[in-house]
Amino acid sequence: MELDRRAWVVQVMGLPVSVHLRGPEVRTDAVAERVERVFAELRGMDAVFSTYRPDSVLGRLGGALPDPATTADPVVREVVELCEAARVRTGGWFDARRLPLPGGGTGFDPSGLVKGWAVERAARHLADLPGHDLCLNAGGDVLLRTAPGRPAWRVGVEDPDRPERMLDVVERAHGAVATSGTARRGTHITDPRTGRPAEAVRSVTVVGPELLWADVYATAAVARGADALDWLATLDGYAALLVDVAGRVRATPNWPGSRPAGQTRAA
């Protein structure tokens, strides 16, 4: 018997966020209320961390790095500490401390970490729905959960130069799929060592157990450049597909899709 499905889509954090559920109670008001809690939490996190809103907590700081020792808001402390952990894990290629800000100048911008972190945090409102499968998609960064014995979700990897085409499709029952690159937002990722836009990579898709770290690793790989694939291959539990500026499509040996490593995109 085919499972009932339902989807909700809202614009939040400056991007479309969708919740897809499969299961026996997706049409009930109780489930709809839980989904609204997901969106409400994401709106709350945007009110804290948006660098585009002058009334957000970070907007009022004007790009200053919050001091975890004196910051009263526990979620701000958590994100500052996670950004430092991300800087260490990526060898400095993810560094939220000196990034270009929307209003000009440079300062603290944790956006490359906050989205994945906030989505995982918000998804807890749906964690105890027995017998239900979840696909939560935040602007192309995807969190997946599947009940035992259910079919895996199929997630398409978009061609950064031709978004109407898929480079590959991965099947995942659990975990995350995150993509960073220039296709949707241009060259918005900065090389932290030069302060210049990172332009050697068109897109990086990372799959793994946690959306927070999949997103961080994808962002760091774009900043690092075309040789990032060797580094990505060393990350335990994560796999990646990379498209460089010349159009070469390469994958780590453990990539779960069907695309052969080193193959260029189809004509």
Side-chain angles (χ1 to χ4, degrees):
M1 178 172 144
E2 187 173 352
L3 290 170
D4 199 3
R5 298 171 180 242
R6 189 175 178 187
W8 297 257
V9 184
V10 301
Q11 193 79 13
V12 61
M13 302 179 78
L15 46 85
V17 177
S18 62
V19 172
H20 303 259
L21 287 174
R22 304 184 302 209
E25 300 177 11
V26 295
R27 304 288 171 185
T28 65
D29 290 342
V31 168
E33 288 170 6
R34 285 173 177 262
V35 172
E36 179 49 41
R37 287 180 218 158
V38 171
F39 294 136
E41 178 142 355
L42 293 176
R43 293 186 193 102
M45 293 302 100
D46 191 49
V48 174
F49 293 106
S50 175
T51 57
Y52 290 88
R53 296 173 54 171
D55 61 334
S56 73
V57 172
L58 290 193
R60 294 196 299 270
L61 289 173
L65 175 65
D67 183 351
T70 59
T71 299
D73 194 325
V75 297
V76 175
R77 290 200 304 271
E78 182 177 350
V79 164
V80 171
E81 291 166 356
L82 283 169
C83 284
E84 176 59 17
R87 186 185 68 82
V88 172
R89 281 199 188 197
T90 62
W93 288 106
F94 181 99
D95 192 342
R97 298 173 301 176
R98 292 182 296 274
L99 294 177
L101 298 174
T106 60
F108 178 65
D109 182 357
S111 301
L113 179 144
V114 160
K115 182 171 65 168
W117 168 83
V119 166
E120 287 188 325
R121 181 185 176 94
R124 292 182 300 182
H125 295 293
L126 303 171
D128 60 345
L129 279 175
H132 287 74
D133 307 330
L134 168 67
C135 175
L136 204 170
N137 186 336
D141 291 344
V142 183
L143 178 68
L144 304 166
R145 292 176 184 158
T146 308
R150 297 279 178 75
W153 295 95
R154 290 169 55 83
V155 180
V157 180
E158 186 178 274
D159 186 325
D161 293 312
R162 292 180 287 184
E164 74 280 2
R165 299 185 63 174
M166 294 293 108
L167 290 176
D168 204 350
V169 176
V170 295
E171 293 191 3
R172 305 287 288 179
H174 305 282
V177 182
T179 298
S180 292
T182 61
R184 296 291 181 177
R185 296 175 56 195
T187 51
H188 65 286
I189 296 173
T190 300
D191 180 337
R193 306 197 176 187
T194 66
R196 298 177 60 82
E199 300 177 323
V201 171
R202 291 286 285 129
S203 73
V204 177
T205 298
V206 176
V207 301
E210 296 181 73
L211 183 57
L212 185 162
W213 292 112
D215 200 9
V216 164
Y217 293 148
T219 301
V222 173
R224 188 174 182 128
D227 67 345
L229 203 67
D230 291 339
W231 168 69
L232 289 164
T234 69
L235 301 175
D236 188 30
Y238 292 82
L241 184 78
L242 181 149
V243 184
D244 66 23
V245 73
R248 291 181 299 171
V249 183
R250 295 175 292 141
T252 56
N254 59 342
W255 174 251
S258 59
R259 194 170 188 96
Q263 178 182 320
T264 57
R265 62 165 57 84

